[in-house]
């Protein structure tokens, strides 16, 4: 099966809703579904997290990371304290990170696994940057930006998780028809994961979106974070890149000192997130 046939087959399955998710993904999805209700009682949230030992450990770890404890407060030693510190929105994002990460957990092909690891590193850096950009530049909700960045490559992760079954996915794409097929698959995966519409729209806009000057929305936040990420996506093509003049455009709204500070902070946050979410 060549690349065109592989993409066509997976896209057809996605359209029919026949998506293959690891069992661990379904468990994390249950947590996400409950946390999607802002009125979810904290005791229910705690019980859901405790029912997933990996998620419980990650929740406490990230609550104690530099990302959420810059003041040097005493270490959190329980899930209740961790949830109170990071909040429901970030717990929701953490569950989403587990979903994304688990897609690559069963990959056996060394080449595909290497791509999945690079995509994960890229995702973590984009997530750290998006949260900072939202807070300091675009003015969108930083929690939403963090969540959107964590799931922005979920379609790519899903495709890599199926590459062992469809080796043709790794073939070169000289005719550049892959983006259209990937867009269909990404849309259906996001639908299956119940990604909120505003977030889904921003992610879909990454394919051919343009950076606003000044940047002021979620799509701009993701475009900037992707552009500034020190780790590129192994799946990126020209259609995912903001125009080459963007560096000079960025100078219009982020001065050199501020950009340096943002990049340094994002490196610290990315390292903290990577350690806390290590699987």
């Amino acid at each position: 099966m060549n690349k065109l046939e592989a993409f066509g087959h997976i896209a057809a399955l996605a359209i029919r809703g026949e998506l293959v998710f690891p069992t661990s993904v379904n468990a994390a999805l249950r947590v996400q579904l409950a946390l999607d209700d802002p009125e979810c009682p904290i005791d229910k949230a705690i019980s859901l997290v405790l029912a997933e030992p990996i998620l419980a450990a990650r929740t406490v770890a990230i609550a104690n990371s530099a990302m959420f404890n810059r003041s040097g407060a005493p270490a959190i030693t329980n899930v209740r304290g961790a949830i109170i510190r990071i909040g429901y929105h970030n717990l929701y994002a953490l569950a989403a990170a587990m979903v994304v990460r688990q897609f690559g957990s069963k990959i056996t092909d060394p080449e595909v696994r290497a791509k999945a690891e690079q995509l994960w590193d890229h995702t973590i850096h984009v997530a750290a940057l998006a949260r900072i950009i939202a807070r300091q530049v675009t003015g969108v909700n930083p929690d939403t930006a963090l969540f959107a960045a964590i799931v922005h490559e979920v379609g790519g992760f899903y495709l890599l998780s199926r590459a062992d079954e469809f080796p043709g996915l790794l073939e070169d794409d000289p005719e550049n028809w892959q983006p259209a097929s990937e867009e269909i698959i990404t849309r259906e995966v996001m639908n299956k994961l119940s990604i909120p519409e505003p977030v889904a729209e921003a992610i879909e806009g990454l394919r051919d979106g343009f950076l606003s000057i000044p940047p002021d929305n979620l799509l701009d936040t993701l475009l900037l974070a992707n552009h500034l990420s020190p780790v590129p996506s192994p799946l990126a093509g020209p259609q995912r890149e903001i125009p080459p003049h963007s560096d000079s455009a960025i100078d219009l709204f982020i001065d050199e000192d501020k950009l340096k500070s943002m990049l340094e902070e994002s490196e610290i946050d990315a390292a903290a997130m990577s350690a806390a979410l290590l699987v």
Side-chain angles (χ1 to χ4, degrees), residues 12 36 61 70 89 146 161 165 183 190 194 210 235 266-267:
D36 195 35
R70 298 195 189 282
H89 285 294
L146 176 68
S161 76
E165 304 167 64
E183 185 177 7
M190 289 195 296
S194 300
F210 291 94
L235 306 178
S266 73
E267 279 295 324

Side-chain angles (χ1 to χ4, degrees), residues 39 49 54 61 100 121 123 135 148 204 242 256 279:
E39 303 300 320
V49 172
I54 293 176
V100 171
D121 288 343
T123 296
R135 190 175 67 240
E204 289 187 29
I242 56 180
E256 186 176 343
V279 174

Side-chain angles (χ1 to χ4, degrees), residues 1-7 10 109 111-112 115 159-172:
M1 183 178 289
N2 63 30
K3 189 165 190 171
L4 176 58
E5 292 171 331
F7 263 99
I10 295 175
D109 184 285
E111 183 180 353
V112 181
K115 286 181 179 292
L159 285 169
L160 289 176
S161 76
R162 304 298 304 275
D164 282 343
E165 304 167 64
F166 303 98
L169 287 172
L170 295 179
E171 293 177 359
D172 291 336

Side-chain angles (χ1 to χ4, degrees), residues 118-141:
Q118 182 178 338
L119 191 59
W120 176 247
D121 288 343
H122 167 76
T123 296
I124 289 297
H125 279 87
V126 172
L129 280 161
R131 185 168 176 264
I132 294 167
I133 291 167
R135 190 175 67 240
Q136 299 190 27
V137 180
T138 59
V140 304
N141 186 304

